[in-house]
């Protein structure tokens, strides 16, 4: 594949510079960030951004965020930024944090789905940061997945969907965090979390004193939930014994159930095909693994995927938000 660049061990600066120049000219690139892979192009080029919508099969009502590499670039695309918004950016940039700001007129209407706001994020990933900086323009980049599918957290998972549709693919290995950024919009001086992520509500509250979690208020919310090719169900609860019994009971009704569960619980299920999503005491590990494990499970064509949930606290809130979406809210919460 001549459009494939392997920067897993080391970035080839000359090649990255060449790709960045092409991105500025409206070419499309798959590239890693610390959250998930993005599919990006020059965010100020309406025609190029249109291609991203088409390739993803994305609804034009669903706006796309801009990735930046500096505060100057934030100010290139956003205006009337308040002190609290600056404070949030100073604290959480670069990182898994997207802030919805009032847009400037240079941002094409197609990027923001005609709204007067624009989502801005400064990724904390060397390849992504350099790509943006070398391009010298903000990069419009949604998650690299066909609309309605799970975000890609390594290049192998998305190669088949995109290899003949994008101009460049940069392989940076697995994404460190594995789920998409926290999205925040400040409304009347209070940060509202529109999508939970690795920057938690607790962390945001430390800056602003107040925070409102409204995890289902994105423009994309009414459009689509993630779709797996097979049915799935989420089981969660504090009482582990009860949860395990319930999982066994559900699994009995299927010929080929697959269970995504914690490392510690692998031995509890002798007759069920289990997959390890990480230690129950390590939410970072679970978040990093979850999308790719779901994809692996789906490929085995089970008649159901059963997923053991985590507590909706800290990073657990973001993990459960994605899992509920995957299961289309088909969830059993066990009483303790
Ligand atoms: O971690 C991430 O945020 C990844 C990486 C690639 O940066 N990107 C990502 O993009 O998840 P995407 O397009 O898959 O999700 C962005 C979400 C969408 O649900 C979109 O509706 C919302 O952000 N969004 C974008 N612009 C917005 C705006 N102006 N107001 C409200 N929501 C917005
Ligand atoms: Mg997405």
């Amino acid at each position: 594949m001549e459009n494939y660049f392997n920067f897993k061990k080391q970035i080839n600066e000359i090649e990255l510079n060449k790709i960045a120049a092409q991105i500025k000219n409206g070419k499309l690139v798959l590239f890693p960030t610390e959250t998930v892979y993005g599919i990006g192009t020059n965010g100020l080029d309406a025609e190029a951004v249109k291609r991203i919508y088409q390739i993803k099969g994305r609804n034009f009502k669903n706006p796309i965020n801009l990735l930046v590499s500096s505060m100057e670039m934030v100010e290139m695309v956003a205006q009337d930024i308040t002190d609290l918004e600056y404070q949030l950016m100073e604290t959480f940039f670069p990182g898994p944090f997207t802030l919805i700001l009032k847009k400037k007129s240079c941002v094409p209407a197609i990027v923001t789905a005609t709204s007067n706001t624009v989502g801005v994020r400064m990724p904390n990933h060397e390849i992504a940061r350099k790509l943006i900086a070398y391009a010298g323009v903000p990069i419009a980049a949604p998650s690299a997945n066909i609309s309605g599918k799970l975000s890609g957290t390594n290049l192998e998972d998305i190669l088949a969907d995109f290899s003949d549709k994008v101009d460049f693919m940069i392989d940076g290995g697995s994404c460190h965090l594995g789920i998409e950024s926290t999205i925040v919009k400040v409304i009347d001086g209070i940060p509202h979390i529109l999508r939970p992520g690795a920057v938690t509500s607790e962390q945001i509250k430390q800056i602003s004193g107040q925070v409102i979690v409204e995890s289902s208020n994105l423009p994309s919310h009414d459009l689509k939930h993630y779709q797996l090719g097979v049915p799935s169900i989420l089981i969660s609860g504090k009482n582990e014994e009860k949860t395990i019994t319930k999982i066994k009971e559900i699994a009995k009704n299927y010929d080929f159930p697959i269970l995504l569960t914690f490392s510690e619980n692998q031995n509890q299920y002798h007759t069920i095909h289990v997959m390890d999503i990480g230690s129950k005491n390590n939410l970072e590990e679970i978040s990093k693994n979850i999308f790719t494990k779901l994809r692996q499970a789906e490929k085995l064509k089970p008649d159901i995927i059963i997923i053991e949930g985590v507590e909706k606290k800290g990073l657990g809130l973001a993990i459960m938000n994605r899992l509920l979406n995957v299961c289309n809210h088909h969830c059993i919460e066990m009483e303790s």
Side-chain angles (χ1 to χ4, degrees):
M1 288 180 290
E2 71 212 36
N3 59 351
Y4 173 89
F5 296 84
N6 187 339
F7 293 170
K8 275 196 227 181
K9 288 211 181 81
Q10 205 183 352
I11 297 175
N12 182 323
E13 295 283 338
I14 297 171
E15 282 174 344
L16 190 61
N17 257 295
K18 281 189 196 157
I19 297 170
Q22 294 292 317
I23 295 316
K24 193 176 178 190
N25 288 334
K27 299 284 192 213
L28 265 51
V29 62
L30 284 188
F31 66 103
T33 81
E34 77 277 31
T35 57
V36 299
Y37 271 74
I39 173 170
T41 192
N42 181 343
L44 304 179
D45 179 340
E47 274 308 307
V49 175
K50 190 172 168 193
R51 261 185 80 203
I52 291 187
Y53 277 94
Q54 289 166 338
I55 287 173
K56 279 190 57 125
R58 187 179 178 99
N59 191 308
F60 284 102
K61 286 184 192 151
N62 190 8
I64 293 178
N65 295 322
L66 294 179
L67 298 186
V68 298
S69 57
S70 66
M71 283 310 289
E72 288 74 43
M73 240 187 228
V74 173
E75 284 159 358
M76 196 163 147
V77 296
Q79 59 186 333
D80 301 341
I81 302 170
T82 64
D83 288 347
L84 177 57
E85 287 167 339
Y86 271 116
Q87 234 181 324
L88 290 167
M89 289 190 278
E90 273 157 24
T91 312
F92 300 118
F93 279 2
F97 182 79
T98 300
L99 191 60
I100 309 293
L101 295 167
K102 187 169 170 196
K103 76 162 205 147
K104 275 190 177 164
S105 60
C106 64
V107 181
I110 190 167
V111 171
T112 60
T114 71
S115 98
N116 61 357
T117 58
V118 61
V120 180
R121 178 165 101 84
M122 190 188 291
N124 187 14
H125 188 291
E126 196 184 356
I127 295 176
R129 283 291 290 281
K130 285 188 167 167
L131 186 69
I132 305 160
Y134 296 167
V137 287
I139 293 189
S143 53
N145 51 274
I146 300 296
S147 235
K149 298 260 185 246
L150 301 174
S151 296
T153 53
N154 57 66
L155 199 65
E156 294 81 42
D157 284 351
I158 48 176
L159 209 68
D161 285 336
F162 290 109
S163 62
D164 57 349
K165 298 194 177 76
V166 298
D167 303 295
F168 306 99
M169 296 183 290
I170 303 178
D171 196 343
S174 290
C175 299
H176 179 63
L177 297 169
I179 53 178
E180 309 87 347
S181 63
T182 307
I183 302 184
V184 167
K185 184 176 186 180
V186 178
I187 304 171
D188 296 331
I190 301 173
H192 288 233
I193 298 184
L194 308 185
R195 179 177 73 185
V199 169
T200 63
S201 61
E202 292 84 354
Q203 285 174 288
I204 295 166
K205 202 171 171 184
Q206 281 188 354
I207 307 299
S208 55
Q210 296 183 75
V211 64
I212 294 174
V213 182
E214 21 170 318
S215 48
S216 57
N217 202 14
L218 283 175
S220 53
H221 182 69
D222 296 334
L223 302 175
K224 247 178 203 173
H225 62 89
Y226 298 129
Q227 292 158 336
L228 290 178
V230 292
S232 54
I233 183 166
L234 181 60
I235 319 278
S236 70
K238 285 202 185 105
N239 185 327
E240 197 150 71
E241 218 181 292
K242 278 192 187 170
T243 307
I244 291 171
T245 308
K246 187 72 187 173
I247 289 172
K248 287 180 180 165
E249 204 180 293
I250 293 173
K252 269 194 201 140
N253 300 320
Y254 295 88
D255 293 330
F256 179 27
I258 290 185
L259 171 66
L260 268 59
T261 185
F262 312 121
S263 318
E264 293 85 352
N265 293 1
Q266 299 293 300
N267 298 329
Q268 298 283 345
Y269 307 94
H270 299 295
T271 55
I272 313 174
H273 185 118
V274 289
M275 287 177 75
D276 186 354
I277 55 172
S279 167
K280 61 183 167 195
N281 301 315
N282 188 344
L283 291 178
E284 284 78 15
E285 189 186 8
I286 296 173
S287 128
K288 181 172 181 184
N289 284 338
I290 195 69
F291 284 149
T292 193
K293 292 284 176 180
L294 280 162
R295 282 174 181 267
Q296 285 167 18
E298 185 186 13
K299 276 206 189 106
L300 296 174
K301 298 198 188 332
D303 47 9
I304 185 137
I305 298 175
I306 306 171
I307 312 159
E308 200 167 344
V310 298
E311 201 182 338
K312 286 183 192 157
K313 232 171 74 183
L315 183 57
L317 182 70
I319 295 170
M320 286 298 277
N321 168 275
R322 305 310 190 275
L323 289 178
L324 281 163
N325 191 316
V326 164
C327 295
N328 199 12
H329 294 266
H330 193 198
C331 173
I332 299 178
E333 289 208 38
M334 302 296 295
E335 287 163 26
S336 47

